């Protein structure tokens, strides 16, 4: 029996390794979802998973915003995340198109420098931004957080959109213009739809980075409280179990976006295959 099991593992090593890595990645999320249905004995045991003392409840979901300050902090994080994603995506997409389609002086330097914010440790970036804001008299709070989030999201947007543009054939745009489309019409009807999946992926990535950022926000928040700041602050008094429900809901919404994107891509691939 053991020999047959070992032979099966050797024949399916890649598959087994893939499932092990997947389980390693998703295990913390599975624990949080499980804890979101548990009523702990106290706030100090919110993150203790004891299956022998598991008290199933839906109260963490049905009364998600009962803890004082949780709703306001979550709304603030969502608001900043959406704004940062929109601004960073608009700016980053323009930069990505410029880098991918045009040749200009300093292009190589821009391509290299665009990676600097990605490679900079957050603690360094946060302290630098704090010094910058104080030096220029910019008050800490909402606008300081937004400026900081747009700044570090911008690099990720540029890299994501530029990777998408690199796979597009520029002759498609030229073909559209040969058929008497104006440059704007060719861009709107040919280039933009093809680049759209990359732009949306970049926007979702920017929102995710902004939503869960703690280190940079801690330096620039002033009295403004985002969801990560709320969790960090309330941890000193014991985390309410509703935080697990919020975390689970965030993951499930992200999963819905990913599945919807995959289904959309599959449908478009099937449509292209049916026309070819």
């Amino acid at each position: 029996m053991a020999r047959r099991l070992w032979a099966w593992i050797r024949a399916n090593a890649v598959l087994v390794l893939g499932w092990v890595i997947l389980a390693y990645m998703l295990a913390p999320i599975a624990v949080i979802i499980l804890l979101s249905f548990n009523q702990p004995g106290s706030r100090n045991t919110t993150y203790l998973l004891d299956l022998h003392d598991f008290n199933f409840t839906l109260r963490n979901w049905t009364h998600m915003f009962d803890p004082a300050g949780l709703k306001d902090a979550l709304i603030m994080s969502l608001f900043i995340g959406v704004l940062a994603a929109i601004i960073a995506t608009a700016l980053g997409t323009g930069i990505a198109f410029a880098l991918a389609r045009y040749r200009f002086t300093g292009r190589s330097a821009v391509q290299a420098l665009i990676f600097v914010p990605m490679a900079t440790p957050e603690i360094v970036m946060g302290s630098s931004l704090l010094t910058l804001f104080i030096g220029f008299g910019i008050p800490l709070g909402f606008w300081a957080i937004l400026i900081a989030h747009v700044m570090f999201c911008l690099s990720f947007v540029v890299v994501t959109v530029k990777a998408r543009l690199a796979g597009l054939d520029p002759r498609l745009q030229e073909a559209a213009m040969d058929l008497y489309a104006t440059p704007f019409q060719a861009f709107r009807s040919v280039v933009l739809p093809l680049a759209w999946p990359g732009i949306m992926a970049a926007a979702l990535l920017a929102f995710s980075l902004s939503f869960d950022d703690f280190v940079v926000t801690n330096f620039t928040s002033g009295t403004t409280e985002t969801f990560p700041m709320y969790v960090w602050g309330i941890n000193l008094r014991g985390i309410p179990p509703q935080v697990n429900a919020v975390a689970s809901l965030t993951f499930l919404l992200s999963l819905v976006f990913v599945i919807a994107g995959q289904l959309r891509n599959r449908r478009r691939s099937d449509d292209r295959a049916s026309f070819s």
Side-chain angles (χ1 to χ4, degrees):
M1 181 65 183
R3 183 175 299 177
R4 292 177 59 186
L5 177 61
W6 178 242
W8 184 89
I9 291 176
R10 283 192 302 173
N12 300 275
V14 175
L15 180 64
V16 171
L17 182 61
W19 278 107
V20 169
I21 294 175
L22 194 62
Y24 168 71
M25 294 169 60
L26 297 180
I29 298 173
V31 171
I32 288 295
I33 294 177
L34 191 59
L35 286 173
S36 71
F37 295 100
N38 180 44
Q39 183 60 48
S42 70
R43 286 189 172 189
N44 294 324
T45 59
T46 296
Y47 284 119
L48 294 181
L49 179 59
D50 185 0
L51 296 178
H52 298 290
D53 192 25
F54 191 88
N55 299 313
F56 180 82
T57 181
L58 294 176
R59 180 177 174 77
N60 299 333
W61 288 81
T62 57
H63 295 74
M64 188 178 292
F65 300 118
D66 275 3
L70 192 154
K71 181 180 178 182
D72 293 338
L74 184 61
I75 291 176
M76 180 60 70
S77 276
L78 291 172
F79 190 46
I80 292 175
V82 170
L83 280 180
I86 291 174
I87 298 172
T89 302
L91 296 176
T93 300
I95 296 173
F97 269 97
L99 292 173
R101 294 299 175 90
Y102 300 100
R103 299 289 182 268
F104 53 88
T105 305
R107 178 172 174 269
S108 299
V110 173
Q111 291 196 100
L113 292 173
I114 207 70
F115 287 97
V116 172
M118 298 174 66
T120 304
E122 284 191 280
I123 190 75
V124 176
M125 186 182 298
S127 58
S128 301
L129 284 167
L130 176 62
T131 304
L132 182 70
F133 290 149
I134 292 175
F136 281 90
I138 299 174
L140 302 180
F142 175 82
W143 293 108
I145 298 174
L146 183 61
I147 293 171
H149 285 201
V150 169
M151 190 210 69
F152 68 71
C153 288
L154 200 54
S155 299
F156 292 91
V157 173
V158 173
V159 172
T160 305
V161 177
K162 188 168 174 285
R164 176 67 181 178
L165 294 176
L168 299 184
D169 190 345
R171 291 175 298 181
L172 293 173
Q173 186 176 4
E174 296 171 2
M177 296 176 68
D178 288 342
L179 296 174
Y180 303 106
T182 64
F184 177 73
Q185 288 173 330
F187 171 79
R188 186 189 62 186
S189 303
V190 177
V191 178
L192 190 58
L194 292 174
W196 191 248
I199 296 173
M200 286 303 299
L204 291 176
L205 177 61
F207 173 79
S208 177
L209 290 170
S210 171
F211 181 80
D212 73 347
D213 178 74
F214 171 77
V215 177
V216 175
T217 306
N218 191 37
F219 281 97
T220 58
S221 60
T223 58
T224 302
E225 189 176 52
T226 61
F227 183 65
M229 296 290 297
Y230 169 83
V231 174
W232 176 76
I234 205 169
N235 185 42
L236 301 175
R237 306 188 300 271
I239 297 178
Q242 284 87 347
V243 169
N244 293 329
V246 174
S248 301
L249 180 62
T250 304
F251 167 74
L252 293 175
L253 289 176
S254 302
L255 186 63
V256 168
F257 277 111
V258 171
I259 292 175
Q262 291 296 323
L263 291 176
R264 184 176 181 274
N265 290 337
R266 178 176 296 182
R267 188 179 62 183
R268 296 185 67 176
S269 299
D270 293 341
D271 291 342
R272 282 197 294 268
S274 63
F275 283 117
S276 61

